[in-house]
Amino acid sequence: RIAPAPGRPRAPAPPRSAAPPRASSSSSSDAPARGAETRAMLSVAVGAAVALHLSALTPHALAKTVNIAIDQASLAQESCGRAGGVPGTGTYKATCMKILGKATNPTSEPVFNADVYGLVKDQANDDVLNSGRVGSIDKLEPGVNDFVLQITVADSQPLPLKLKNFKAQGVTQLLNASPNPYDDYTEFDEFGAQR
């Protein structure tokens, strides 16, 4: 038998390098899921905010402006006694005057906060009010309504008043009332001093 030729010793096989750990399929699939969940939560939050905003605006958005006709021939006036005066001037003398009339609501629903505008002058043809706004009517039912407004007239202005070009405008939803800025709520004691 022939002896095998001596050969080089076989080099040991290099160890297999460990394969890099694969990302688990669960973590890779969680990322899109989390993104979708975040987008859904944002959509819900935005939707809720928009709904809240719209609900707050709904009464104003639904409110329709209505022009109210005032019968000029129905306008009348009467004294309602001595007015309290003007804030800061305890010796100021003034008269309370009521303006009465008829206003027509042309719609089939109530109209609220109808601001009344018109010219109010004394017998000397001087303006009684600083603006054209005379007052406000809280509520007008459909059709013809009686109304009463109250203003303050200085004693130095001769009566009766001249009432012209009255008109009004209101809305079909109850909004914040707009009181007459010329109404006087000042109180005085028996000596004429402001309380």
Side-chain angles (χ1 to χ4, degrees):
R1 297 172 62 179
I2 302 173
R8 294 182 182 178
R10 184 180 295 179
R16 291 185 180 180
S17 58
R22 292 184 180 178
S24 65
S25 60
S26 61
S27 62
S28 60
S29 61
D30 281 352
R34 281 198 300 269
E37 184 178 324
T38 302
R39 286 192 297 273
M41 290 176 63
L42 284 175
S43 298
V44 170
V46 170
V50 170
L52 182 62
H53 181 67
L54 290 177
S55 67
L57 294 179
T58 297
H60 298 269
L62 295 178
K64 295 181 294 185
T65 301
V66 179
N67 291 320
I68 303 296
I70 292 183
D71 182 3
Q72 306 298 312
S74 72
L75 293 175
Q77 56 190 289
E78 62 182 45
S79 173
C80 43
R82 177 68 62 186
V86 173
T89 57
T91 58
Y92 186 90
K93 301 298 182 184
T95 300
C96 168
M97 292 294 294
K98 287 182 179 178
I99 298 176
L100 306 90
K102 294 184 180 296
T104 301
N105 171 7
T107 72
S108 59
E109 52 190 326
V111 170
F112 302 92
N113 301 336
D115 287 324
V116 180
Y117 301 90
L119 296 176
V120 182
K121 295 180 178 289
D122 62 14
Q123 281 298 302
N125 221 35
D126 292 324
D127 290 329
V128 172
L129 303 176
N130 292 330
S131 75
R133 185 179 182 279
V134 183
S136 179
I137 305 172
D138 292 338
K139 183 179 180 181
L140 291 167
E141 297 292 347
V144 179
N145 297 258
D146 293 322
F147 70 88
V148 179
L149 303 175
Q150 186 173 306
I151 63 173
T152 298
V153 182
D155 274 357
S156 60
Q157 296 190 276
L159 301 175
L161 300 175
K162 298 177 181 179
L163 310 174
K164 296 180 180 179
N165 302 332
F166 271 53
K167 59 184 179 180
Q169 191 174 75
V171 291
T172 55
Q173 290 284 331
L174 183 58
L175 307 177
N176 292 333
S178 50
N180 188 343
Y182 302 105
D183 285 346
D184 180 29
Y185 302 103
T186 307
E187 294 184 1
F188 297 89
D189 61 21
E190 63 272 20
F191 303 105
Q194 183 175 340
R195 291 178 179 172

